[in-house]
């Protein structure tokens, strides 16, 4: 009985498998996407970087979802998911840097930060969850616009957050790897 309750409680269906066919060569391939989207940029060149991460969350009841899918009975709600948004500040500098967050715009909605300040500690990576936005359940990227203030100057950053494949997670985020951000393999520790 408890096994059935666990099964019906649902699981995260944030991963996605996409098949590709090359008509010229006749070869097929498969990409297995994770549930993570991310991208980063400099806020202060060579001193302060920012990374925006979205964690794809879609709760399904495995048996019910599979039956609905096989019967062609998936509804419009199946195309939408929630994206839990995190912001990470990478401070390569020996001075703290306060960053005032105004708002984040995405195609599915926006987050209003009401001038919340997050201070990047010297030679540290500071990460915080900032909210949830609606995203496509089957998307391979999320475009966001972040409005903020750093060094008392307004900034507007537009980033396309790529949905990472399992292969990319291993490539970019295993120990000793080069991150897909402008600072590459550089560590905040110096």
């Amino acid at each position: 009985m408890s096994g059935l309750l666990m099964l019906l409680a649902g699981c995260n269906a944030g991963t996605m498998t996409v098949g590709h066919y090359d008509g010229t060569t006749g070869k097929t391939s498969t990409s297995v996407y994770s549930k993570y989207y991310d991208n980063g940029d400099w806020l202060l060149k060579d001193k302060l970087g920012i990374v925006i991460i979205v964690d794809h969350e879609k709760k399904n009841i495995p048996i019910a979802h599979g039956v609905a899918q096989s019967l062609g009975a998936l509804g419009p709600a199946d195309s939408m998911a929630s994206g839990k948004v995190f912001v990470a500040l990478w401070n390569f500098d020996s001075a703290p840097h306060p960053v005032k967050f105004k708002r984040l715009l995405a195609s599915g909605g926006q987050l209003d930060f009401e001038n919340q300040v997050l201070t990047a500690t010297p030679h540290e990576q500071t990460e915080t969850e900032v909210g949830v936005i609606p995203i496509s359940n089957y998307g391979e990227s999320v475009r966001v616009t972040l409005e903020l203030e750093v060094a008392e100057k307004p900034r507007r950053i537009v980033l396309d957050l790529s949905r990472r494949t399992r292969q990319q997670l291993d490539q970019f985020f295993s120990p000793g790897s080069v991150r897909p951000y402008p600072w590459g393999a550089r560590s905040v520790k110096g």
Side-chain angles (χ1 to χ4, degrees):
M1 182 68 165
S2 65
L4 179 61
L5 291 176
M6 294 286 286
L7 185 62
L8 293 177
C11 66
N12 190 315
T15 59
M16 176 176 74
T17 302
V18 177
H20 307 279
Y21 175 74
D22 184 335
T24 307
T25 64
K27 293 185 179 185
T28 60
S29 62
T30 302
S31 296
V32 178
Y33 289 91
S34 72
K35 62 181 198 146
Y36 300 106
Y37 304 73
D38 71 294
N39 202 351
D41 201 359
W42 288 112
L43 291 179
L44 298 171
K45 183 75 170 147
D46 294 325
K47 292 183 180 180
L48 182 64
I50 188 168
V51 174
I52 300 173
I53 304 152
V54 173
D55 181 353
H56 182 118
E57 295 185 327
K58 181 71 174 184
K59 302 292 183 194
N60 286 332
I61 299 172
I63 294 173
H65 185 268
V67 170
Q69 186 176 26
S70 68
L71 295 174
L74 295 177
D78 186 62
S79 66
M80 296 305 296
S82 296
K84 193 184 300 184
V85 182
F86 297 85
V87 172
L89 297 175
W90 293 56
N91 192 352
F92 298 93
D93 198 10
S94 56
H97 292 283
V99 178
K100 185 186 292 184
F101 290 90
K102 306 261 183 202
R103 69 181 173 157
L104 180 133
L105 305 165
S107 60
Q110 74 175 28
L111 297 173
D112 188 0
F113 300 120
E114 300 177 2
N115 296 319
Q116 177 183 356
V117 176
L118 181 63
T119 300
T121 306
H123 297 290
E124 294 288 333
Q125 179 184 339
T126 306
E127 183 177 313
T128 188
E129 181 181 340
V130 295
V132 176
I133 57 173
I135 60 174
S136 169
N137 196 32
Y138 304 107
E140 294 178 17
S141 68
V142 174
R143 176 170 272 213
V144 297
T145 302
L146 181 63
E147 296 173 354
L148 49 82
E149 190 176 293
V150 63
E152 300 181 5
K153 295 179 184 171
R155 292 280 310 268
R156 182 180 178 109
I157 299 170
V158 178
L159 290 172
D160 288 317
L161 312 180
S162 298
R163 187 172 189 173
R164 299 295 175 190
T165 63
R166 295 263 172 100
Q167 181 182 3
Q168 288 172 325
L169 288 179
D170 291 340
Q171 176 187 354
F172 296 135
F173 301 102
S174 58
S177 63
V178 175
R179 301 279 193 257
Y181 313 131
W183 48 90
R186 190 173 163 200
S187 169
V188 292
K189 299 293 183 192

